[in-house]
Amino acid sequence: MKSSRLNTGSGNLKPLSYRIWESRQLYIFLLPAIVLVIIFNYLPMYGVTIAFKDFKPHLGIIDSPWVGLKYFDRFFSMPMFTVILKNTLILSFYMLLAGFPLPILLALMLNSASNQKLKKLVQTITYAPHFISIVVIIGMVNIFFSPSMGIVKNLLNSLGWLEGNLGVLIDAAAFPHLYVWSGVWQGLGWSSIIYLSALSAVDQSMHEAAIIDGASKFQRVLKIDLPSILPTIVILLILESGSIMNVGFEKVFLMQNSFNVSTSEVINTYVYKIGIREGQYSLSAAIGLFNSGINFIMILLVNQISKRLGQESLW
């Protein structure tokens, strides 16, 4: 017994190069993914230097003169800085508050459903919107909420709750609600899949013991299912916090119009307008770097808070 322990300990002291060689087949399988990450994620990071240079396309990145934090100062002093930062934070936190808990609730309800046919039907209905493209989703929103010919307008007129046209699409205050709840509808079922997978790993003997003790279905969900998937919930919350500033460009841009621009102009759409349309590459790079920096700080902060509270963490 003593010799086996010594052998196990000595096995752990093998050089790193030897252990890599022992598992060389696995590392060969991993190599294509590493190469792709380096090419598409790390090498383009060199372009971040544009944010600190007065970039001239004919000079290139290397020969363009350094200007330090000039474009960051310009961004922070712009009148639009407060507007786009506020809009980005409102949409991000609204989407997080509305879209994060609902898939958890759906997964808990589906897992507790005793009627398997109804469960599969609900899963199919809630999964389907995920496969609809953003362009089609925005087209559906425009058709449903059309001011004069929309389905919602006709329904409200027939019920006597509205007279005349519906002004939702041109109402700046309504934009956050349209954006968030159309996104919740599209991603609700798909986002619940990972929680259903976590719930399938719950030990059924705990439910059997709880039933013998007289626990109701709601009590079992609250005391067994929810604590069992809590580590998954925490990890996904940390990951979501890391993209808190990345409001979807395509959807916002397609829903944006001259009437709702005061609430729909976010960092991503603003970067596109000044970078691609106006050719201010250094300023757009500085704004994008600021956006990524906020996301990085958020994921570090939430991960640290989770660790301090004794919950799961990424590292």
Side-chain angles (χ1 to χ4, degrees), residues 108-247:
L108 291 172
M109 288 189 291
L110 289 175
N111 186 67
S112 302
S114 55
N115 190 327
Q116 293 301 312
K117 290 184 178 180
L118 179 62
K119 177 181 177 179
K120 292 180 180 179
L121 177 63
V122 173
Q123 284 180 296
T124 303
I125 293 173
T126 54
Y127 293 172
H130 171 77
F131 301 98
I132 304 175
S133 70
I134 293 295
V135 176
V136 175
I137 291 290
I138 304 307
M140 294 169 62
V141 171
N142 291 333
I143 292 172
F144 291 158
F145 294 96
S146 175
S148 57
M149 302 294 293
I151 298 173
V152 176
K153 177 259 180 184
N154 293 331
L155 177 62
L156 295 178
N157 283 345
S158 63
L159 294 174
W161 295 352
L162 176 70
E163 293 183 3
N165 294 334
L166 182 67
V168 172
L169 293 179
I170 58 176
D171 183 6
F175 174 82
H177 306 295
L178 285 177
Y179 174 86
V180 169
W181 290 108
S182 60
V184 170
W185 171 75
Q186 185 181 16
L188 177 63
W190 190 258
S191 299
S192 68
I193 292 177
I194 191 167
Y195 299 113
L196 285 170
S197 301
L199 287 168
S200 66
V202 177
D203 188 358
Q204 293 302 308
S205 63
M206 293 192 295
H207 282 279
E208 294 170 0
I211 292 172
I212 294 174
D213 290 339
S216 64
K217 183 174 291 188
F218 178 75
Q219 289 174 325
R220 284 186 280 126
V221 169
L222 199 62
K223 300 295 185 180
I224 299 175
D225 290 337
L226 190 57
S228 298
I229 64 172
L230 187 59
T232 304
I233 294 173
V234 172
I235 292 296
L236 291 178
L237 180 60
I238 294 172
L239 294 175
E240 285 286 336
S241 67
S243 59
I244 197 71
M245 300 287 285
N246 289 341
V247 178

Side-chain angles (χ1 to χ4, degrees), residues 57-121:
H58 65 280
L59 295 176
I61 298 177
I62 296 176
D63 295 329
S64 295
W66 290 93
V67 293
L69 301 177
K70 171 185 173 182
Y71 290 102
F72 290 93
D73 293 335
R74 179 183 295 184
F75 174 53
F76 296 146
S77 61
M78 293 171 65
M80 285 297 294
F81 170 70
T82 305
V83 175
I84 62 176
L85 182 61
K86 182 186 73 173
N87 292 342
T88 303
L89 290 174
I90 288 175
L91 290 178
S92 298
F93 282 105
Y94 189 0
M95 191 68 194
L96 184 64
L97 292 174
F100 188 77
L102 291 179
I104 301 172
L105 295 176
L106 177 62
L108 291 172
M109 288 189 291
L110 289 175
N111 186 67
S112 302
S114 55
N115 190 327
Q116 293 301 312
K117 290 184 178 180
L118 179 62
K119 177 181 177 179
K120 292 180 180 179
L121 177 63

Side-chain angles (χ1 to χ4, degrees), residues 75 80 83-85 87-88 91 175 179 245-257 260-278 284 287-288 291:
F75 174 53
M80 285 297 294
V83 175
I84 62 176
L85 182 61
N87 292 342
T88 303
L91 290 178
F175 174 82
Y179 174 86
M245 300 287 285
N246 289 341
V247 178
F249 164 76
E250 299 90 349
K251 188 175 180 180
V252 174
F253 187 72
L254 291 171
M255 294 180 68
Q256 195 175 83
N257 55 56
N260 63 22
V261 71
S262 61
T263 57
S264 64
E265 191 74 284
V266 296
I267 290 178
N268 286 338
T269 56
Y270 193 68
V271 167
Y272 164 76
K273 290 176 181 177
I274 66 171
I276 303 300
R277 289 184 178 179
E278 301 180 13
S284 62
I287 298 173
N291 193 39

